[in-house]
Amino acid sequence: MDKEFSLSAVPQTYRKSFWNMLVVMLGLTFFSASMWSGGTLGEGLTFWQFIGIILLGNLILGAYTGALAYMAAKTGLSTHLLARYVFGEKGSYLPSFLLATTQIGWFGVGVAMFAVPVHKVTGIDIYLLIGIFGIAMSLSAYFGMKALAIISFIAVPLIAWLGTTSMFKAADAMGGWHSLFNYTPTNNIGLAAALTICIGSFISAGTLTPDFTRFAKTKKSAVGATVIAFFIGNSLMFLFGAVGAIATGKSDISEVMFLQGLIIPAIIVLGLNIWTTNDNALYASGLGISNITKIPKQKIVIFNGIAGTLAAMWLYNNFVSWLDLLGTALPPIGAIILADYFIVKRGKYQAFEKMNFQAVNWIAITAWVSGAAAANFLPGIAPINALVTAALVHVAVSIATARLYREKHVAVSEIEKVGQ
């Protein structure tokens, strides 16, 4: 029996508690790249502007991921299986492939991100470290949600405690929090650009929220855990990065800790931070490839982990530009799923096991292309452009198509009556 339910809805008997969901979602949002993004914002905004941007950005992210969490808890389905309702069975291969390859890429980048500083401190061969870390992270992801929860229970409190300790030391080095709140940036970032960075740093991974929250016992606990995780977890990561960058010029908390003489805590924080994120990434990538191949997630996870580990250094040096491209391609997927469920289908999906899915829904494909194009070419906030455009196009074309179908059906019925 596939206890991860890669290709079916999660039964109520396998659902998890609110606290279990909360630590898993906090483990997802405790993300190293968010600290880098926070550092960029911290150096380019006043501290009050920074606080306003992360609150607004995480409000938008919380609303987006919270809505996806609601769907997942109600249906028990992953992002990839929900995509079948919207894109069609074969059409769902497109979002599954994009989401899975992105997460495999992040896994490889994360393994190298951990191996590089450990190599610098210890002198151990970097490729040996990559192999050890890659295998260890792949094995923990193989055991699924149970392992994710255990690692997150350990990692989340430690990251929060050590990160907070480092942040207070950095603030003290500046002369206290008074100096921090009076900080004036030398290179200002526009508020629209800052909001783009805040939202864009996590909206792609946020699209995978249903992969985890489908295990929630209730819709309330799924939404609550997700929203809290984004307001606490993501905000803390941004705050750690911003304070460290303002005080030391380094946005990565591990580098800040190196400068503070906290070498061992730095390695622990970096390792746990990357481990929780990488396990979530590998878990989600397994579900995506499973949707395409119909092979259970456990087997796929090992293959994806090996692929990410073997390509880790190449990914570390070359994957960022590809991730930026995918960052504009992934948000429309979640927007289309939400628009279809809440607006087109009015919150009612037939049970997954009873569905006879169409092969490809070209309306959803068109909406996805429109959203990705809007993110790349329209002025404003790229992730918001992608979300709004994809949702509007999908809803408008779906309603217009349904209306045309009804009118054609009525016309045919009238002709048949006249013929009789």
Side-chain angles (χ1 to χ4, degrees):
M1 179 181 177
D2 177 14
K3 292 186 178 180
E4 296 303 316
F5 305 97
S6 313
L7 300 170
S8 62
V10 179
Q12 276 294 330
T13 51
Y14 284 84
R15 301 294 183 99
K16 310 294 182 184
S17 68
F18 167 78
W19 295 107
N20 193 293
M21 285 290 97
L22 180 60
V23 294
V24 169
M25 294 307 295
L26 283 171
L28 175 67
T29 58
F30 274 36
F31 183 38
S32 295
S34 294
M35 288 189 287
W36 296 340
S37 299
T40 302
L41 296 182
E43 291 181 310
L45 301 170
T46 68
F47 201 70
W48 286 113
Q49 287 175 328
F50 167 78
I51 295 297
I53 287 294
I54 64 168
L55 288 178
L56 179 58
N58 284 324
L59 176 64
I60 294 170
L61 283 172
Y64 173 68
T65 57
L68 287 170
Y70 177 92
M71 284 185 66
K74 185 174 181 179
T75 62
L77 300 174
S78 67
T79 304
H80 313 281
L81 299 187
L82 287 170
R84 290 193 191 182
Y85 287 87
V86 192
F87 290 85
E89 182 163 356
K90 289 184 169 31
S92 70
Y93 297 171
L94 171 64
S96 287
F97 177 77
L98 290 172
L99 291 165
T101 52
T102 304
Q103 297 309 304
I104 294 170
W106 269 125
F107 176 83
V109 172
V111 171
M113 280 172 58
F114 188 27
V116 168
V118 174
H119 163 72
K120 289 179 181 178
V121 172
T122 64
I124 299 173
D125 182 78
I126 192 167
Y127 291 102
L128 176 61
L129 291 171
I130 286 173
I132 293 171
F133 298 149
I135 291 169
M137 293 175 186
S138 299
L139 287 175
S140 58
Y142 172 85
F143 291 103
M145 283 295 295
K146 186 175 182 179
L148 292 182
I150 292 171
I151 292 171
S152 296
F153 267 115
I154 298 169
V156 166
L158 278 174
I159 295 169
W161 176 60
L162 291 171
T164 302
T165 300
S166 174
M167 181 177 65
F168 274 92
K169 287 177 72 71
D172 288 341
M174 288 185 62
W177 290 93
H178 177 74
S179 299
L180 189 65
F181 279 96
N182 289 328
Y183 168 76
T184 302
T186 53
N187 297 313
N188 291 301
I189 299 176
L191 295 182
L195 192 59
T196 298
I197 291 171
C198 183
I199 298 172
S201 68
F202 212 87
I203 197 165
S204 297
T207 305
L208 293 164
T209 296
D211 291 356
F212 311 103
T213 54
R214 65 200 173 106
F215 280 92
K217 281 186 177 180
T218 66
K219 298 183 286 291
K220 184 178 179 180
S221 66
V223 174
T226 301
V227 173
I228 291 171
F230 273 90
F231 267 92
I232 294 178
N234 211 36
S235 296
L236 276 178
M237 292 297 103
F238 272 88
L239 192 59
F240 293 161
V243 175
I246 293 171
T248 66
K250 304 289 185 180
S251 57
D252 187 337
I253 192 172
S254 62
E255 294 187 22
V256 174
M257 286 184 168
F258 284 145
L259 294 174
Q260 294 171 336
L262 303 171
I263 296 175
I264 299 303
I267 292 175
I268 293 172
V269 168
L270 182 66
L272 290 175
N273 188 302
I274 290 173
W275 200 307
T276 56
T277 303
N278 266 17
D279 265 15
N280 282 284
L282 205 56
Y283 182 89
S285 74
L287 292 175
I289 301 299
S290 180
N291 181 48
I292 298 171
T293 63
K294 308 302 184 288
I295 299 172
K297 185 226 80 179
Q298 285 93 334
K299 297 178 182 178
I300 297 294
V301 160
I302 297 299
F303 175 82
N304 290 353
I306 293 171
T309 301
L310 290 174
M313 282 306 297
W314 181 88
L315 290 166
Y316 181 74
N317 293 319
N318 298 283
F319 201 64
V320 174
S321 58
W322 176 234
L323 282 173
D324 289 340
L325 175 63
L326 290 179
T328 63
L330 300 186
I333 295 170
I336 293 166
I337 291 173
L338 290 174
D340 186 76
Y341 180 76
F342 286 105
I343 301 176
V344 178
K345 302 296 178 12
R346 299 185 180 182
K348 296 178 181 178
Y349 273 171
Q350 188 177 354
F352 183 79
E353 63 274 9
K354 296 180 181 179
M355 280 294 296
N356 184 20
F357 295 103
Q358 65 184 110
V360 179
N361 181 4
W362 291 105
I363 295 174
I365 300 293
T366 302
W368 172 76
V369 172
S370 301
N376 282 288
F377 300 115
L378 290 182
I381 302 169
I384 300 298
N385 290 344
L387 292 172
V388 173
T389 303
L392 287 176
V393 170
H394 181 73
V395 170
V397 178
S398 295
I399 291 174
T401 303
R403 184 175 297 168
L404 287 172
Y405 175 81
R406 286 196 300 270
E407 290 175 354
K408 181 179 178 181
H409 183 72
V410 170
V412 170
S413 299
E414 291 298 325
I415 292 171
E416 288 176 349
K417 287 180 181 178
V418 172
Q420 291 173 355

